[in-house]
Amino acid sequence: MKVFATGKEIREHYRIHELRQPGLVPTMGALHEGHLSLVRAAAECCRMVAVSIFVNPTQFNDPEDLVKYPRTPEADLQMLSEVLRENDFVFTPSVEEIYPESDTRVFDLGEIGEVMEGAHRPGHFNGVAQVVSRLFDIVRPSAAFFGQKDYQQLTIIRELARRHYPKIEIIACPIVRESDGLAMSSRNKRLLPRLRERAGEIYRTLIAAAAMASDFEPSEIKDFVADRINMIPDFRLEYFEIVEDATLKPVASVWEMSPEKSYYGCIALWAGEVRLIDNIEIGLR
Ligand code: PAF
């Protein structure tokens, strides 16, 4: 595996090896098994894989969150060296490489950018769209791999690609969970041990909520989730929303739901000072 910090080095690599258009796995580092599952999926279908590691400042609506975001560069490269092949590469750009000048682009993401994370983290998805488009422009991948844990982000990137990068295939990979069900996330590293012990309750609550879908109204399921999460000491629910998969339109009544469509129950919560998100597919029986 190679490590490059600039687009120039990447272009030179493509020229020397007469290879182009890798499968791209964009990350912000602090890698875990969830990221590695994306890298393995990319290696299975692409002759060359690129993994970017870049903590993107423009997607942090809270400056303190940017400072506290975990950074483990040596461990990341060590993990990647065990799965990447000779001509695969890691792209570790500086802020100046990604944003030679300040990025003032505003992406009109429509309603999919306004609900859930969009409502609670203003500007977040515009920053995600900025960095992903810069990565697409520099790396020029044939496909890009994203985890389903960030379900809304995935939907937004699909829309970004549909509008601006129609030749890049967006591939969604399943959520990877710890043995107690907690969705793997770089932010889990920041959980205090006593909060980490309680965090398996998040997925158990999502499973219970999904099982209620055919018999209860979304408002009742939301109350159930809020009660169960807020009952865990030092946990606080930010939102739980049942949304239609592609449009992310929140479902107001069970009568709006169709057995032919897919729905997701999406949750955001605070465990102490750490904000976690997760989701579960919800079907009607
Ligand atoms: O999901 C992430 O880690 C980030 O939002 C992404 C897609 C790498 C963009 O910075």
Side-chain angles (χ1 to χ4, degrees):
M1 122 191 150
K2 313 279 188 303
V3 181
F4 301 133
T6 64
K8 193 166 170 239
E9 288 167 283
I10 294 175
R11 288 190 294 279
E12 184 61 6
H13 180 65
Y14 292 168
R15 195 187 60 74
I16 295 170
H17 297 283
E18 294 181 354
L19 280 170
R20 280 179 301 142
Q21 299 197 306
L24 172 65
V25 181
T27 82
M28 296 208 298
L31 302 182
H32 49 69
E33 193 47 46
H35 294 112
L36 294 189
S37 74
L38 303 179
V39 178
R40 287 194 194 98
E44 249 169 55
C45 58
C46 305
R47 284 175 64 206
M48 180 176 26
V49 173
V51 179
S52 62
I53 300 182
F54 178 65
V55 183
N56 172 37
T58 71
Q59 72 186 73
F60 285 83
N61 53 312
D62 173 0
E64 207 179 309
D65 192 24
L66 171 61
V67 173
K68 288 187 180 159
Y69 198 82
R71 290 163 173 85
T72 55
E74 283 94 29
D76 291 349
L77 290 183
Q78 178 56 40
M79 280 171 95
L80 289 174
S81 70
E82 283 160 28
V83 281
L84 289 180
R85 303 155 300 187
E86 198 182 331
N87 286 334
D88 296 335
F89 65 91
V90 187
F91 180 38
T92 57
S94 63
V95 173
E96 294 70 36
E97 182 67 18
I98 295 292
Y99 301 117
E101 49 205 59
S102 102
D103 195 338
T104 53
R105 290 173 300 163
V106 177
F107 290 82
D108 175 14
L109 302 164
E111 282 178 25
I112 56 170
E114 282 159 22
V115 291
M116 300 191 291
E117 295 300 282
H120 287 86
R121 301 184 66 191
H124 168 64
F125 285 127
N126 199 60
V128 170
Q130 287 175 338
V131 75
V132 169
S133 89
R134 285 293 294 139
L135 291 169
F136 284 179
D137 290 342
I138 296 171
V139 177
R140 301 189 172 269
S142 56
F145 296 74
F146 295 89
Q148 283 186 335
K149 182 177 77 70
D150 299 83
Y151 189 75
Q152 188 172 9
Q153 168 173 281
L154 173 66
T155 309
I156 279 169
I157 290 167
R158 279 188 172 131
E159 182 59 16
L160 177 81
R162 193 185 66 77
R163 288 193 205 171
H164 302 288
Y165 301 92
K167 291 197 177 138
I168 301 179
E169 194 183 350
I170 304 301
I171 299 179
C173 299
I175 299 176
V176 180
R177 298 185 180 279
E178 303 284 358
S179 57
D180 65 351
L182 177 65
M184 288 197 185
S185 161
S186 305
R187 292 175 192 272
N188 295 352
K189 293 191 171 76
R190 291 187 48 223
L191 285 172
L192 295 172
R194 66 186 160 81
L195 301 186
R196 171 65 194 85
E197 266 173 34
R198 299 169 193 158
E201 184 61 11
I202 302 168
Y203 186 48
R204 287 194 289 276
T205 303
L206 288 180
I207 293 174
M212 291 168 73
S214 303
D215 307 315
F216 292 85
E217 283 294 336
S219 60
E220 294 172 301
I221 304 176
K222 277 187 191 187
D223 288 346
F224 163 81
V225 170
D227 286 348
R228 216 160 132 164
I229 295 296
N230 293 335
M231 215 183 319
I232 312 170
D234 300 319
F235 279 49
R236 182 171 58 80
L237 182 76
E238 194 162 274
Y239 65 78
F240 173 76
E241 208 66 75
I242 298 177
V243 296
E244 202 184 294
D245 67 346
T247 61
L248 300 185
K249 208 170 152 303
V251 178
S253 162
V254 71
W255 299 108
E256 288 172 19
M257 294 172 81
S258 146
E260 272 86 59
K261 288 189 180 166
S262 299
Y263 301 88
Y264 283 83
C266 300
I267 194 169
L269 58 94
W270 289 89
E273 291 185 355
V274 183
R275 189 173 184 278
L276 301 174
I277 59 171
D278 197 351
N279 64 78
I280 192 164
E281 189 169 358
I282 290 187
L284 292 180
R285 279 198 306 273

